Amino acid sequence: MKERVGSLDGAGRRFAIVVSRFNEVVTEELTAGALEALTTHGVSPEEIEIVRVPGAFELPGACARVIERGGVDGVVALGCVIRGDTPHFDFVAGETTRGLGELARESKLSFGFGLLTTETLEQALVRAGSGSENKGWEAALTALEMANLYGTLR
């Protein structure tokens, strides 16, 4: 039996973090978590690019452009959609997730999915907390592990 698993060694790896500015109090914490995860695991800060977009709905388009351009081993998409009083949440969260999922499947790059979809700001802030509880941290480590795994599958 042969088993393959990706490592968390970021040496020599390059990543783009594409992050929504909407709900910035949350997304800035997600970004900080993603940056900390990547650099803690050996990715040089000079090899990390941050791309900021207005809202979550713009994440798939910007991620697609980064992927088309090349120059990175993986992309980490970060955003936060909080339910309100209208069905807007359902449309934005659903279409953003669908678009990011398509990119993750069709792209040859690793992909970290860090889109929070919560009922309240308080729930979002908990998920953007410190250390490994931070979903930005988690999404970045997923992208790193998958970049290394994809390298073994070539």
Side-chain angles (χ1 to χ4, degrees), residues 20-48:
S20 165
R21 289 190 314 265
F22 198 78
N23 289 319
E24 193 169 38
V25 67
V26 176
T27 61
E28 282 305 303
E29 292 300 317
L30 294 173
T31 303
L35 287 168
E36 182 181 359
L38 292 173
T39 57
T40 296
H41 289 85
V43 178
S44 170
E46 293 79 29
E47 300 299 334
I48 302 170

Side-chain angles (χ1 to χ4, degrees), residues 53-132:
V53 299
F57 191 80
E58 290 75 32
L59 288 170
C63 288
R65 299 321 178 275
V66 168
I67 291 166
E68 289 168 7
R69 181 202 63 203
V72 295
D73 298 301
V75 175
V76 181
L78 303 175
C80 178
V81 184
I82 300 171
R83 187 176 300 278
D85 294 330
T86 70
H88 182 73
F89 169 92
D90 298 311
F91 299 119
V92 173
E95 285 303 305
T96 303
T97 299
R98 185 190 58 76
L100 293 174
E102 283 180 15
L103 287 172
R105 286 187 300 278
E106 295 172 6
S107 168
K108 305 254 189 279
L109 297 180
S110 71
F111 210 85
F113 180 81
L115 177 68
L116 299 183
T117 54
T118 65
E119 297 292 326
T120 66
L121 175 60
E122 292 75 26
Q123 289 175 342
L125 290 170
V126 168
R127 287 162 180 78
S130 62
S132 61

